[in-house]
Amino acid sequence: MYLFQYDFMLRALVGALVIGLAAPALGIYLVQRRLALIGDGIGHVALTGVGAGLLLNRSPVLVAVVAATLGAIVIELVRSRGRTSGDLALALLFYGGIAGGVMLVGLSDASSGSLNAYLFGSLTTTSPADLITIGVLGVAILVTMLVLRPALFAVCHDEEYAQVSGLPVRALNLLLAVGTAVTVTIAMRAVGVLLISALMVVPVATAQQVTRGFRSTMAAAMALGLFAAGAGVWVAATADTAPGASVVLLAIGSFLVVALLAAGRRALRRRTGPAAAPVAEPPEHEVVLG
């Protein structure tokens, strides 16, 4: 723990913890909509913003926020109007975004190390200004996802039902797209654009192994994200490994452990006979109607 006496390690830890909470809080909606990989596509668009920022001598993070937000809005409009498949639109984001980012970084005076920092994360180089940006945007995303949980759940679960209920479906979809873009951009400093989706999706997949109901899954996913982020930074500091990779590997390791334990529990129940059915949580859409 003596490593955390240094300011740069404390900044890395605080930044990782904020992202560890915010990423699963938004990722659960993407999993509900079967858009688990959209974070990768938007992350590649954010890389184009990073390249543009380096080329124009502007803040790469702020330019990346703008680029990722525009990309997320475009993909949502394309998806909602049904002019092309969501898979095709995501493919365009994947390839066009990362190609544009690599080309723009190459045209700038930045070194290859600058590109690697955004591809794979660089928590230990987080500046005080970066930490403020991560903290403000991360808390904003977290609060939004929690406050609007019933409405966002209804939209992700059944858009037609949400429309009939009087919810602003288009606005909520755009809000979710913009939230994804912001989350991807701030998580870029922690795990890099190539690993962003893992932190948004893996804790949710882990929580789904042992929880019932949307609210409990969301709470468990946030707790798992917090654990993976904090423990990942500690492992990186003590073992001298990449923080982003350490965070993601711990998240995946948690998934494997929980999945094995859940499988063992199900096998034990089959041998000992049926147990009383657990009481499920009320559906979120009942909260919306109320």
Side-chain angles (χ1 to χ4, degrees):
M1 297 300 291
Y2 69 93
L3 290 171
F4 292 103
Q5 65 182 313
Y6 301 108
D7 290 341
F8 74 94
M9 285 304 304
L10 283 176
R11 289 196 295 271
L13 179 62
V14 172
L17 292 177
V18 171
I19 295 167
L21 278 174
L26 184 137
I28 190 170
Y29 299 106
L30 301 182
V31 173
Q32 186 74 21
R33 298 177 69 181
R34 293 178 172 84
L35 291 174
L37 294 180
I38 195 173
D40 281 328
I42 295 177
H44 293 158
V45 175
L47 186 62
T48 298
V50 169
L54 293 174
L55 182 63
L56 300 173
N57 292 321
R58 297 291 187 268
S59 171
V61 175
L62 293 180
V63 179
V65 169
V66 175
T69 300
L70 292 176
I73 292 174
V74 168
I75 189 66
E76 176 55 33
L77 292 177
V78 170
R79 184 198 67 83
S80 62
R81 295 186 180 185
R83 293 183 179 177
T84 185
S85 69
D87 289 342
L88 176 58
L90 280 177
L92 293 175
L93 283 176
F94 265 71
Y95 306 129
I98 198 167
V102 171
M103 184 170 67
L104 290 175
V105 171
L107 291 174
S108 70
D109 296 330
S111 63
S112 59
S114 299
L115 179 60
N116 289 335
Y118 290 99
L119 285 174
F120 304 105
S122 183
L123 261 178
T124 53
T125 61
T126 302
S127 66
D130 290 335
L131 184 61
I132 291 174
T133 301
I134 291 173
V136 171
L137 294 179
V139 170
I141 291 296
L142 184 60
V143 171
T144 302
M145 295 303 107
L146 292 176
V147 171
L148 298 180
R149 181 186 63 200
L152 289 173
F153 173 82
V155 170
C156 294
H157 183 69
D158 190 338
E159 284 194 10
E160 293 183 0
Y161 172 84
Q163 188 78 48
V164 172
S165 300
L167 292 174
V169 174
R170 174 63 62 82
L172 289 170
N173 279 331
L174 289 175
L175 175 65
L176 194 58
V178 172
T180 303
V182 173
T183 304
V184 164
T185 306
I186 63 174
M188 199 163 49
R189 300 293 296 174
V191 296
V193 297
L194 298 182
L195 299 173
I196 284 174
S197 282
L199 196 56
M200 298 172 71
V201 172
V202 174
V204 178
T206 306
Q208 287 177 334
Q209 303 289 322
V210 294
T211 57
R212 292 179 180 271
F214 188 82
R215 283 174 291 181
S216 58
T217 300
M218 187 179 195
M222 290 169 60
L224 289 165
L226 193 66
F227 163 76
V233 172
W234 179 80
V235 169
T238 55
D240 194 23
T241 57
S246 301
V247 170
V248 172
L249 286 176
L250 277 173
I252 294 175
S254 300
F255 172 80
L256 294 175
V257 170
V258 171
L260 288 174
L261 291 175
R265 185 180 63 179
R266 288 192 296 268
L268 182 61
R269 284 182 176 179
R270 285 195 297 267
R271 291 182 180 181
T272 57
V279 178
E281 296 181 8
E284 290 286 339
H285 63 262
E286 292 184 3
V287 181
V288 176
L289 292 177

